[in-house]
C-alpha cells in the first residue's frame, strides 16, 4: 500500500525501507547511461518549498525530480514568513492554487511538513524539519552503507557530534536500527542527551567509543556555526581535538578499515581534517550521488491524492 | 426566591456527601436536613442522586481584558466559570497593559461589575511585569488587590523580589510566584525529555521550575512574606514547598492545576498544541506524585491557570503557538471523571481544595451549604455527562484537550445569592 507522504522514518516499517532501498538501485544504474531520465513522473508537478536555505538538498531533489521527468517549480518563500508567524493555513492557501502533485518541504520548525501534509492532497516529502527528522538523508545513508555491507544486520555505526540538535542523527539512527545495524552516539556531554534513547549506547570519549564499540563506520555530524558560538563546548579547536577526525585518528581508522560518512556540508578542521577527503573509505561523495537515487525512489513510491 | 432542593447529597470540605434537603429563601439557606418538610410556595427541584455543594473558586485565571479581548473578555471568562460550577475567580495581571497600578485595577474591576460572580484581580509585583521596578503596591492594595504576582514569568532579579516582599508584606499583601529560571527554561514549548528529543524541540527541564522555586521559597522564609507557588508541575518543587512549610514554618503554599494531574508530554503526540502550556506537561511519574500531594495536603489549592487562545493562534507551529489551555468550563467535570469517579479522592477534597481553601487564601468568607449562610452552591450530577463542544463552552476560546470529548458528570445548577445562574 503506497503512502501519500514521506515525513519521517519512525513511521516506516522494515519492509517499506527495504523496498525503497531496492527501488533506488535501478535509478542509480541509470546515472551511468547517456539518457539519465525515465518518464515515471511525466506530467506531474513537484514543488520545492524551502523555508530554510539549503542549496545541496534543494539541488538533489531538483535533479531527482527532473530525472523522473517531472515539472519542477521552486517556490520562493518570502523571507518575512521564514522567520516567524506565517501559519500553516496561510501557506496551504497559497499552495493549493499551485496544484502541485508533490511538495518537498524544508522548514526550521519541527513538525511543519506533517502539518502541511494533513491539509493537502499533494504528497509531502520532508526535506528536513527543525531538529525533528530528515528522512531522505536517512534513506541515502542506509543506501550508501548497504552498498558496502549488503548484509547490514549487526554492523556498527558510531554517530558523532551534535546529537542534541541534529535531525540527521534522529532519522539516520532510526533507519539503521530498523535495518538491524547497531548504533552508538558520541559527542560532548552537552550535546549527547541522556534522554535520546535508552537502547543507544552513549559515549563522550572518542578513544573509549572506538575501543568499546568498534564501529564499521563513523558518521560525522556537521557542527553548526551557531553552536560554536553558543557555549555547548569551549571552541571548535577543542572540539576537533576531542571529537574530530585528526590525521592521527584517520591513520587508526584506516588501519581498522573503518568507513567515514558525513551528511555535508563539512567544516574542515572541525569534524574532520583535509586528509579525510582523500581517504579511500570516505563515503561523502557517494552519499551525495546516492541522495539523488534515494530521492527518486521516494518520489516514485508515493501516491499523491490529487486529481 | 424560595427554592427547595430535594433529596440531594450535600458535600462539605470535612465530610463525605450526606443525604439532605436544602431550603433556600431570599438568598440565604434557611434549612439543611434530611427529610425536611416541603415549604409552602417554594419551587421544588428534585436533585436526588446529585451532589449539592459550595460553588468552586478558581484563584488562577487569565481573562484577557484589557488587550486580548479576541481571546477572552472578563464577561466571557466569568460565564465560562459559571458553566463549570465556579462562583468566584482571581484574574492574573499579565494583560496588556499589565494590571500593575490602581488605575488598571479599577478599570478591570469596573468591567467585572457586569459579571454575575465575583471577579477579583491580582496585581503585578513589578511595573509591566518587566522585573525592573516595583509596581504601585499601596495604590493597588487600596483598589482591592491582595495577591501580587508577575505570573507568566518569574521575577528575574532576586534582590528586587526580596525588597518587594519586605515592602509589600507590610500592606498585608501576599505573593504568588510563577517559578521558572529563564535561561534554563529556553523557548518554553514542552518538557525536556524523551518526547522533546523525539519531536526535535528544545525542552524546558523540570530543573527550571525547581531552582526558581527554591529561590522564592527561601526569600519568603527570610523575609517572612506569605508566598503561594503557582501551577506546580514537578515533584521536587512540591516537596520543597512542603519542607519549607512543615520543617521551617515558612508561610508558603502551592497550587496544582488539573492538567498537570491528568496529562503528560506523551499526550502531545504529533505536535498537538492543545497540550502545550507553561509550565509544560511532564511525565506519568509527575502525575502520580502531584496527585499524591493533592491527597496528602502538600497542595493548598487546585487552580486551572485558565489560558484562552484562539483557534488560529493555536493552529500555528508547535514552537510558535502560545502556551496555555482553557480550563474553567472543563475543570470540575474533568476532576470528577478522572479522579472522583475512579475513587482516587472524595468530594470533600474537591470542596476543600477548590472552594474553601482558595477563598481562605483570598480572605473571603468560605461558601458552605449550611443553615444561615448566603447561598453559594452548585448541583452536580455524577450520573450525567458533558460533551465539550464549542457551543457548550462559554469561554470565547476552545483550546482544550477535552474539545468534542464526552466526560462523566455534569454541572446541573449554579445558585448564587438570590439568583439561579445556571440550570440545565
Ligand atoms: Zn504562570
Amino acid at each position: 500500500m503506497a503512502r501519500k507522504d514521506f515525513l519521517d522514518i519512525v513511521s516506516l516499517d522494515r519492509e517499506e525501507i527495504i523496498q525503497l532501498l531496492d527501488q533506488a538501485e535501478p535509478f542509480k544504474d541509470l546515472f551511468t547511461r547517456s539518457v539519465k531520465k525515465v518518464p515515471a513522473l511525466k506530467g506531474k508537478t513537484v514543488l520545492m518549498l524551502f523555508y530554510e536555505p539549503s542549496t545541496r538538498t534543494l539541488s538533489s531533489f531538483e535533479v531527482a525530480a527532473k530525472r523522473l521527468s517531472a515539472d519542477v517549480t521552486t517556490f520562493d518563500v518570502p523571507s518575512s514568513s521564514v522567520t516567524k508567524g506565517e501559519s500553516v493555513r496561510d501557506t496551504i492557501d497559497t499552495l493549493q492554487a499551485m496544484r502541485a502533485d508533490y511538495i518537498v518541504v524544508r522548514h526550521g520548525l519541527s513538525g511543519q511538513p506533517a502539518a502541511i501534509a494533513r491539509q493537502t492532497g499533494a504528497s509531502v516529502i520532508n526535506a528536513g524539519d527543525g531538529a525533528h527528522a530528515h528522512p531522505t538523508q536517512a534513506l541515502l545513508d542506509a543506501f550508501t552503507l548497504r552498498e558496502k555491507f549488503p548484509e547490514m544486520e549487526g554492523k556498527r555505526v558510531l554517530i558523532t557530534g551534535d546529537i542534541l540538535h541534529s535531525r540527521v542523527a534522529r532519522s539516520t539512527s532510526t533507519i539503521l536500527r530498523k535495518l538491524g545495524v547497531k548504533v552508538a552516539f558520541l559527542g560532548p556531554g552537552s550535546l549527547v542527551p541522556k534522554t535520546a534513547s535508552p537502547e543507544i549506547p552513549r559515549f563522550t570519549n572518542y578513544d573509549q567509543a572506538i575501543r568499546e564499540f568498534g564501529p564499521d563506520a563513523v558518521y560525522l555530524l556537521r557542527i553548526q556555526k551557531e553552536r560554536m558560538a553558543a557555549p555547548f563546548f569551549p571552541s571548535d579547536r577543542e572540539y576537533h581535538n576531542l571529537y574530530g577526525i585528526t590525521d592521527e585518528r584517520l591513520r587508526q581508522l584506516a588501519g581498522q578499515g573503518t568507513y567515514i560518512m558525513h551528511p555535508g556540508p563539512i567544516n574542515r578542521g572541525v569534524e574532520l581534517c583535509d586528509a579525510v577527503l582523500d581517504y579511500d573509505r570516505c563515503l561523502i561523495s557517494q552519499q551525495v550521488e546516492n541522495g539523488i537515487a534515494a530521492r527518486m525512489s521516494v518520489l516514485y513510491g508515493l501516491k499523491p491524492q490529487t486529481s | 426566591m424560595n427554592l427547595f432542593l430535594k433529596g440531594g447529597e450535600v458535600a462539605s470540605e470535612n465530610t463525605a456527601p450526606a443525604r439532605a434537603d436544602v431550603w433556600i429563601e431570599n438568598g440565604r439557606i434557611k434549612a439543611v436536613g434530611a427529610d425536611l418538610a416541603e415549604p409552602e410556595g417554594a419551587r421544588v427541584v428534585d436533585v436526588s442522586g446529585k451532589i449539592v455543594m459550595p460553588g468552586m473558586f478558581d484563584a488562577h485565571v487569565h481573562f484577557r481584558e484589557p488587550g486580548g479581548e479576541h481571546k477572552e473578555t472578563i464577561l466571557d471568562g466569568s460565564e465560562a466559570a459559571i458553566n463549570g460550577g465556579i462562583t468566584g475567580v482571581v484574574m492574573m495581571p499579565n494583560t496588556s497593559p499589565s494590571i500593575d497600578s490602581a488605575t488598571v485595577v479599577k478599570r478591570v474591576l469596573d468591567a467585572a461589575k457586569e459579571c454575575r460572580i465575583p471577579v477579583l484581580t491580582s496585581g503585578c509585583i513589578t511595573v509591566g511585569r518587566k522585573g525592573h521596578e516595583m509596581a504601585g503596591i499601596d495604590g493597588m492594595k487600596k483598589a482591592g488587590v491582595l495577591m501580587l504576582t508577575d505570573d507568566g514569568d518569574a521575577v528575574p532579579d532576586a534582590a528586587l523580589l526580596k525588597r518587594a516582599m519586605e515592602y509589600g508584606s507590610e500592606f498585608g499583601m501576599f505573593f504568588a510566584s510563577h517559578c521558572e529560571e529563564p535561561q534554563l527554561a529556553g523557548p518554553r514549548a514542552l518538557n525536556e525529555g524523551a518526547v522533546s528529543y523525539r519531536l526535535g524541540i528544545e525542552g524546558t527541564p523540570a530543573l527550571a521550575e525547581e531552582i526558581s522555586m527554591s529561590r522564592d521559597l527561601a526569600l519568603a522564609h527570610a523575609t517572612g512574606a506569605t508566598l503561594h507557588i503557582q501551577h506546580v508541575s514537578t515533584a521536587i518543587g512540591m516537596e520543597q514547598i512542603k519542607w519549607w512549610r512543615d520543617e521551617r514554618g515558612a508561610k508558603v503554599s502551592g497550587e496544582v492545576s488539573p492538567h498537570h494531574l491528568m496529562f503528560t508530554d506523551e499526550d502531545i503526540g504529533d505536535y498537538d498544541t492543545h497540550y502545550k502550556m507553561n509550565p509544560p506537561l511532564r511525565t506519568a511519574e509527575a502525575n502520580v506524585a502531584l496527585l499524591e500531594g493533592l491527597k496528602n495536603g502538600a497542595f493548598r489549592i487546585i487552580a486551572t491557570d485558565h489560558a484562552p487562545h484562539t483557534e488560529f493562534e493555536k493552529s500555528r507551529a508547535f514552537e510558535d503557538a502560545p502556551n496555555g489551555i482553557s480550563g474553567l468550563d472543563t475543570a470540575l467535570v474533568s476532576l470528577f471523571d478522572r479522579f472522583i469517579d475512579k475513587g482516587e479522592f472524595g468530594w470533600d477534597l474537591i470542596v476543600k481544595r477548590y472552594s474553601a481553601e482558595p477563598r481562605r487564601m483570598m480572605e473571603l468568607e468560605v461558601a458552605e451549604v449550611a443553615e444561615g449562610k448566603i447561598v453559594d452552591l452548585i448541583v452536580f450530577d455524577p450520573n450525567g455527562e458533558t460533551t465539550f463542544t464549542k457551543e457548550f463552552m462559554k469561554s470565547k476560546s476552545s483550546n482544550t484537550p477535552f474539545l468534542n470529548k464526552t466526560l462523566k458528570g455534569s454541572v446541573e445548577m449554579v445558585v448564587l445569592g438570590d439568583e439561579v445562574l445556571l440550570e440545565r
Side-chain angles (χ1 to χ4, degrees):
Chain A
M1 205 192 71
R3 289 173 178 271
K4 177 173 98 65
D5 307 304
F6 188 71
L7 300 170
D8 56 39
I9 297 297
V10 176
S11 53
L12 300 179
D13 59 36
R14 190 187 153 90
E15 285 62 44
E16 286 174 281
I17 294 166
I18 289 171
Q19 196 194 336
L20 284 165
L21 293 173
D22 290 348
Q23 208 166 263
E25 280 178 7
F27 289 130
K28 186 173 179 184
D29 295 341
L30 199 65
F31 301 169
T32 55
R33 304 206 195 137
S34 56
V35 178
K36 297 182 175 58
K37 269 185 151 183
V38 289
L41 262 58
K42 202 166 176 62
K44 303 285 182 190
T45 304
V46 180
L47 181 71
M48 303 292 168
L49 186 63
F50 275 53
Y51 286 85
E52 248 187 12
S54 164
T55 320
R56 299 164 62 95
T57 308
L58 177 62
S59 313
S60 179
F61 270 108
E62 280 174 345
V63 173
K66 282 176 183 161
R67 287 189 182 170
L68 291 167
S69 307
D71 297 320
V72 180
T73 310
T74 301
F75 181 66
D76 192 19
V77 179
S79 54
S80 59
S81 61
V82 174
T83 46
K84 256 176 201 247
E86 185 177 318
S87 86
V88 174
R89 212 179 297 172
D90 298 337
T91 312
I92 289 301
D93 289 346
T94 315
L95 295 182
Q96 293 295 17
M98 300 197 176
R99 299 191 173 275
D101 301 290
Y102 302 83
I103 305 173
V104 178
V105 185
R106 170 169 287 213
H107 205 292
L109 295 177
S110 299
Q112 283 307 78
I116 292 171
R118 278 194 289 274
Q119 299 176 52
T120 173
S123 283
V124 173
I125 296 136
N126 182 0
D129 62 330
H132 172 237
H134 197 352
T136 59
Q137 177 71 44
L139 195 67
L140 77 88
D141 289 337
F143 186 88
T144 305
L145 206 67
R146 194 172 78 158
E147 286 185 322
K148 300 300 166 191
F149 300 112
E151 289 302 321
M152 297 178 83
E153 190 83 36
K155 292 295 169 211
R156 292 167 170 266
V157 175
L158 179 66
I159 301 181
T160 303
D162 184 355
I163 308 296
L164 179 62
H165 302 98
S166 172
R167 54 193 174 209
V168 176
R170 283 168 178 79
S171 287
T172 295
S173 67
T174 307
I175 201 168
L176 293 180
R177 293 179 68 230
K178 286 192 183 219
L179 294 168
V181 174
K182 292 198 163 53
V183 174
F185 288 147
L186 163 69
S190 52
L191 289 175
V192 189
K194 289 182 174 148
T195 49
S197 166
E199 293 123 55
I200 299 180
R202 173 183 186 271
F203 294 98
T204 52
N205 179 289
Y206 180 91
D207 292 328
Q208 189 192 8
I210 297 294
R211 193 173 60 242
E212 291 180 12
F213 187 65
D216 297 293
V218 174
Y219 193 109
L220 306 170
L221 297 169
R222 176 179 162 76
I223 290 295
Q224 308 276 339
K225 291 278 184 219
E226 56 267 29
R227 305 287 173 227
M228 297 188 214
F232 282 90
F233 51 86
S235 66
D236 53 342
R237 188 190 178 88
E238 182 159 323
Y239 181 88
H240 183 65
N241 290 339
L242 293 176
Y243 302 102
I245 304 303
T246 57
D247 290 309
E248 190 194 326
R249 286 186 181 136
L250 182 61
R251 275 193 294 279
Q252 187 198 16
L253 292 177
Q256 295 166 354
T258 311
Y259 287 98
I260 294 179
M261 300 172 75
H262 191 299
I266 55 170
N267 290 307
R268 289 161 191 257
V270 185
E271 300 102 57
L272 43 78
C273 63
D274 288 350
V276 170
L277 302 174
D278 301 322
Y279 174 46
D280 61 352
R281 291 189 174 224
C282 170
L283 301 177
I284 296 175
S285 56
Q286 279 98 313
Q287 285 174 279
V288 175
E289 189 182 10
N290 291 339
I292 298 166
R295 288 173 177 124
M296 287 173 79
S297 176
V298 170
L299 282 165
Y300 180 75
L302 295 177
K303 287 283 166 287
Q305 287 162 17
T306 47
S307 43
Chain B
M1 185 179 65
N2 195 349
L3 184 66
F4 190 71
L5 302 175
K6 190 180 161 68
E9 309 282 326
V10 173
S12 82
E13 62 175 316
N14 302 313
T15 53
R19 166 67 59 85
D21 303 325
V22 180
W23 180 18
I24 292 165
E25 200 182 54
N26 301 326
R28 286 210 181 251
I29 296 176
K30 183 107 174 168
V32 178
D35 305 313
L36 295 180
E38 281 181 26
E40 234 173 89
R43 183 184 155 214
V44 178
V45 179
D46 181 5
V47 294
S48 45
K50 299 177 185 176
I51 308 292
V52 181
M53 61 181 161
M56 301 296 120
F57 188 94
D58 202 304
H60 193 141
V61 305
H62 296 272
F63 292 170
R64 305 299 189 182
E65 187 176 344
E69 288 85 350
H70 63 292
K71 298 171 193 263
E72 192 86 295
T73 62
I74 292 171
L75 185 60
D76 291 325
S78 70
E79 288 298 316
I82 294 167
N83 204 31
I86 296 154
T87 54
V89 297
V90 183
M91 282 176 59
M92 291 298 114
N94 63 336
T95 47
S96 182
S98 310
I99 306 172
D100 62 357
S101 68
T103 315
V104 189
V105 170
K106 282 177 194 149
R107 176 176 164 191
V108 164
L109 294 182
D110 249 11
K113 278 180 193 153
E114 50 174 339
C115 300
R116 302 190 292 157
I117 55 168
V119 173
L120 287 65
T121 186
S122 57
C124 294
I125 300 170
T126 68
V127 174
R129 294 192 320 113
K130 289 195 172 16
H132 301 309
E133 321 156 54
M134 241 183 266
I137 288 177
D138 180 43
M140 289 195 290
K141 170 74 185 182
K142 286 179 177 141
V145 170
L146 187 62
M147 180 199 288
L148 293 172
T149 175
D150 273 5
D151 183 45
D153 295 286
V155 176
D157 180 343
L160 178 60
L161 181 57
K162 175 170 174 281
R163 290 193 287 268
M165 283 178 168
E166 289 164 342
Y167 182 86
S169 296
E170 295 304 317
F171 295 80
M173 315 278 272
F174 76 92
F175 291 77
S177 279
H178 168 121
C179 293
E180 184 178 67
E181 220 293 307
Q183 276 81 22
L184 278 172
R188 315 205 282 193
L190 77 174
N191 181 47
E192 181 184 276
V195 173
S196 67
Y197 179 78
R198 173 171 66 80
L199 295 176
I201 299 175
E202 188 182 342
T204 298
L207 200 57
E209 173 174 304
E210 294 157 6
I211 287 178
S212 175
M213 200 184 293
S214 137
R215 183 198 75 166
D216 287 12
L217 289 165
L219 284 170
H221 176 251
T223 60
T226 301
L227 175 67
H228 176 69
I229 306 289
Q230 301 174 298
H231 44 51
V232 176
S233 70
T234 63
I236 289 177
M238 176 185 81
E239 286 157 17
Q240 292 185 79
I241 299 171
K242 217 168 161 244
W243 186 83
W244 280 106
R245 186 192 67 190
D246 298 347
E247 304 296 323
R248 294 286 160 156
K251 292 181 282 178
V252 296
S253 61
E255 85 190 17
V256 66
S257 55
H259 51 262
H260 287 126
L261 296 167
M262 296 173 190
F263 302 119
T264 71
D265 55 0
E266 296 282 354
D267 289 308
I268 293 166
D270 192 16
Y271 304 97
D272 187 344
T273 59
H274 282 155
Y275 295 90
K276 185 185 180 190
M277 65 282 288
N278 191 35
L281 297 170
R282 310 253 182 219
T283 59
E285 296 80 67
N287 285 164
V288 171
L290 298 178
L291 178 60
E292 194 49 40
L294 180 61
K295 291 189 211 171
N296 70 24
F299 290 115
R300 183 175 191 186
I301 69 168
I302 297 169
T304 56
D305 193 5
H306 176 77
H309 295 291
T310 66
E311 205 180 335
F312 177 76
E313 290 160 337
K314 277 290 195 182
S315 76
R316 294 171 65 174
F318 194 86
E319 286 159 84
D320 284 351
N323 277 307
I325 61 171
S326 183
L328 289 171
D329 290 279
T330 61
L332 186 59
V333 169
S334 67
L335 288 164
F336 171 75
D337 178 280
R338 296 296 175 97
F339 301 119
I340 299 180
D341 190 50
K342 294 189 167 58
E344 285 287 349
F345 50 70
W347 284 107
D348 53 334
L349 181 141
I350 285 287
V351 175
K352 187 177 179 74
R353 301 297 170 193
Y354 202 22
S355 174
E357 283 300 324
R359 284 188 168 93
R360 284 191 187 103
M361 185 172 88
M362 297 309 298
E363 299 177 6
L364 300 169
E365 194 181 334
V366 170
E368 275 180 90
V369 184
E371 202 175 305
K373 293 282 181 181
I374 290 171
V375 180
D376 185 343
L377 64 79
I378 65 175
V379 177
F380 190 96
D381 182 3
N383 298 310
E385 57 178 37
T386 307
T387 304
F388 292 102
T389 58
K390 275 181 208 169
E391 294 68 35
F392 175 86
M393 290 179 64
K394 295 284 182 271
S395 172
K396 203 165 184 175
S397 299
S398 48
N399 51 315
T400 165
F402 297 114
L403 185 62
N404 294 325
K405 290 187 180 138
T406 300
L407 272 64
K408 276 192 191 168
S410 161
V411 177
E412 296 285 294
M413 263 185 117
V414 177
V415 191
L416 186 62
D418 208 23
E419 218 190 324
V420 177
L421 303 185
L422 177 121
E423 188 168 5
R424 278 197 235 283

